[in-house]
Amino acid sequence: MNYFEADLHSLVSETEKCKKELEAIKKEGLSLDLSRGKPSDEQLSLSLPMLDVLDRKSILDSENGLDCRNYGGSDGIPEARRLLAHMMGTHVVHTIVGGNSSLTLMYQLVSHGMTDGICGGTPWQEIKRRKFLCPVPGYDRHFAITEHFGFELISVPMNDDGPDMDKVEELVKDPDVKGIWCVPKYQNPTGIVYSDEVVRRFARLKPASEDFRIFWDNAYCMHCFSGDCTEIPDIIEECEKYGNADFVYEFCSTSKVTFPGSGISAVAASPANLIDIHSFMDFATIGPDKLNQLRHARFFKGSAGLKNQMEKHAAILKPKFDAVYETLETELGKTGIADWTTPKGGYFLSFDTLPGCAKNVVNMCAEYGVKFTPAGSTYPHGYDPEDKNIRLAPSFATTEEIKKAILVLCLCTKLKSIEKIMKERS
């Protein structure tokens, strides 16, 4: 039933039906959390054998002879650099491997831009109206970094193939625009993969600011659900082709591959950018956790081992996402009151209510024991001007829990939508 075409009697009847279903669910005492994209226990168990890779009898030198127990190796050990460079689809010479968090690397680079300036440029803190571009809906933790440093955050709409590049190309003509956040594969939260043309348009941008940087967070580069992952051009290579080698920092980590908080991360960039990164990183550390890098490198033994691990993750994740799609389609497919993405990889999908309903829907779900990411979180400053977007994160719950949680979401969406439709009619 399309709610916009239904008569008053049908909508009242639908309201009563939804309320009865919710009251029955309430008696079950649900307590489900689909707010963050955390790996499940089953996923974490995939990496438990990695804890046995090293012991007191192990040879603890890297392949270049560096003793991983000691100081040094600020770029990371060669085998870890090769592993994560191949993970991103770039070259090892561009790649530095650090600690457990790629988000920390991003924060450090923005902080470096603020205090020191990028590659000798004017420190960003001296730019009074500094700005950063934020594709929306997008990742709240990205936006929070630049909000913390006092940037004006400018929203850029997402299309089906990536950010609205016409708008990006226009906005970068402003010299106060210093960068843009990007998640190019299975984007958080939509699951969109940037098209080849979008990648190349990024590479050939002509920003007015010489220290403009693309923060290319390739967090889900291997997180596809079936078969081979969708391939996109190497952004670093593309930037080199167009004479813009210094435009981009690319990031990845194994946070959702092995153990969140105990993985390894990397940044890939041009030679000039890598020199600039060392200009502050060498003051911050005498070397990363090379034993953890060694543990990862020996566990995977190369790209084939990494791919095999991701196929195991996909076998766990895909049924959960399929359960979301099936429930949404069954409950809302013909109602005309909601839209959602159906990504083929990553950890999230994007769900849109009717404008003005998202916060009420999320709050109502909480009353019935189901927690979602707060409405508005996928926009700068937590403010969605249309109040319609909700990020769904199915990874942590079981398939049966997900079906129940999404049913609650659908029922609450129906009730709040009917309220809106009936109010507008009156």
Side-chain angles (χ1 to χ4, degrees):
M1 177 176 66
N2 186 301
Y3 284 15
F4 290 98
E5 299 173 358
D7 58 29
L8 180 61
H9 176 76
S10 298
L11 292 178
V12 170
S13 176
E14 187 76 353
T15 296
E16 293 305 314
K17 178 184 174 185
C18 291
K19 286 181 177 179
K20 286 181 181 178
E21 286 190 65
L22 281 171
E23 286 307 309
I25 290 170
K26 192 172 187 178
K27 293 177 182 178
E28 299 178 23
L30 292 182
S31 181
L32 302 176
D33 188 346
L34 273 71
S35 62
R36 305 302 311 188
K38 292 165 51 175
S40 65
D41 289 344
E42 188 179 1
Q43 289 177 267
L44 297 176
S45 295
L46 296 175
S47 298
L48 286 176
M50 189 175 70
L51 300 179
D52 301 323
V53 167
L54 299 181
D55 61 27
R56 60 193 296 268
K57 298 179 182 179
S58 299
I59 296 172
L60 300 176
D61 291 353
S62 71
E63 63 184 37
N64 67 348
L66 180 66
D67 186 343
C68 293
R69 301 171 300 173
N70 217 324
Y71 291 128
S74 60
D75 284 346
I77 62 173
E79 49 267 62
R81 292 176 67 198
R82 186 168 58 248
L83 180 72
L84 294 196
H86 291 174
M87 181 177 175
M88 291 184 283
T90 192
H91 198 283
V92 67
V93 298
H94 295 304
T95 306
I96 293 175
V97 177
N100 70 296
S101 171
S102 56
L103 196 67
T104 297
L105 291 171
M106 296 175 218
Y107 179 93
Q108 289 173 328
L109 277 160
V110 176
S111 179
H112 168 59
M114 287 292 295
T115 57
D116 307 316
I118 300 295
C119 291
T122 301
W124 288 344
Q125 64 184 339
E126 297 179 17
I127 310 300
K128 300 304 180 186
R129 297 201 60 188
R130 54 188 176 273
K131 302 167 187 174
F132 223 89
L133 306 185
C134 302
V136 293
Y139 183 30
D140 53 341
R141 293 187 183 273
H142 284 165
F143 303 160
I145 291 174
T146 34
E147 181 180 358
H148 172 72
F149 284 108
F151 283 83
E152 177 186 342
L153 306 184
I154 301 175
S155 295
V156 176
M158 284 290 294
N159 295 327
D160 291 340
D161 64 347
D164 182 339
M165 292 307 297
D166 290 341
K167 187 161 187 178
V168 171
E169 289 165 354
E170 185 63 31
L171 288 168
V172 299
K173 294 176 182 178
D174 181 350
D176 290 338
V177 172
K178 296 301 177 182
I180 183 170
W181 293 111
C182 291
V183 182
K185 292 182 70 171
Y186 311 119
Q187 188 246 8
N188 178 352
T190 63
I192 286 169
V193 178
Y194 289 13
S195 69
D196 290 4
E197 178 58 20
V198 164
V199 174
R200 294 188 174 109
R201 286 180 74 173
F202 268 113
R204 59 178 184 257
L205 279 175
K206 297 179 180 178
S209 175
E210 292 184 0
D211 55 359
F212 174 87
R213 291 294 183 273
I214 302 166
F215 281 66
W216 196 259
D217 184 5
N218 214 346
Y220 311 108
C221 51
M222 295 194 69
H223 290 74
C224 49
F225 293 152
S226 58
D228 292 330
C229 289
T230 303
E231 295 299 327
I232 62 173
D234 176 10
I235 184 64
I236 294 176
E237 182 179 329
E238 292 300 318
C239 285
E240 288 175 343
K241 287 180 184 176
Y242 294 101
N244 295 322
D246 300 336
F247 265 15
V248 64
Y249 304 122
E250 182 172 9
F251 306 90
C252 76
S253 78
T254 64
S255 289
K256 289 182 170 68
V257 176
T258 54
F259 301 122
S262 302
I264 57 176
S265 65
V267 56
S270 68
N273 279 329
L274 294 182
I275 291 169
D276 191 49
I277 290 169
H278 276 296
S279 74
F280 72 89
M281 196 74 79
D282 290 349
F283 290 104
T285 181
I286 311 176
D289 182 349
K290 295 178 292 299
L291 287 176
N292 197 27
Q293 293 182 11
L294 189 66
R295 187 182 296 116
H296 277 73
R298 290 186 180 172
F299 177 60
F300 290 118
K301 299 183 178 66
S303 298
L306 187 59
K307 183 179 180 182
N308 181 61
Q309 175 87 339
M310 298 316 298
E311 288 172 352
K312 295 175 183 176
H313 278 288
I316 297 169
L317 285 170
K318 187 176 185 299
K320 297 182 180 185
F321 277 77
D322 287 344
V324 175
Y325 306 151
E326 181 181 348
T327 306
L328 290 175
E329 184 59 37
T330 299
E331 294 292 326
L332 299 175
K334 297 180 181 180
T335 62
I337 61 173
D339 294 295
W340 55 90
T341 57
T342 55
K344 297 180 180 179
Y347 264 68
F348 307 97
L349 65 146
S350 182
F351 179 82
D352 282 344
T353 67
L354 296 178
C357 291
K359 286 184 179 179
N360 288 333
V361 168
V362 169
N363 291 339
M364 190 176 187
C365 288
E367 294 174 12
Y368 291 92
V370 180
K371 182 180 179 181
F372 292 104
T373 305
S377 294
T378 54
Y379 283 72
H381 311 296
Y383 174 68
D384 174 1
E386 293 189 88
D387 183 25
K388 68 177 187 179
N389 186 252
I390 303 171
R391 184 180 74 177
L392 306 185
S395 58
F396 190 67
T398 67
T399 302
E400 289 307 310
E401 288 172 339
I402 288 164
K403 289 179 180 178
K404 188 69 70 172
I406 300 302
L407 177 59
V408 170
L409 173 69
C410 292
L411 293 171
C412 293
T413 299
K414 288 178 181 181
L415 287 173
K416 292 303 177 182
S417 299
I418 291 172
E419 277 184 24
K420 178 181 174 68
I421 291 168
M422 292 177 72
K423 183 177 180 180
E424 289 177 351
R425 286 184 183 180
S426 65

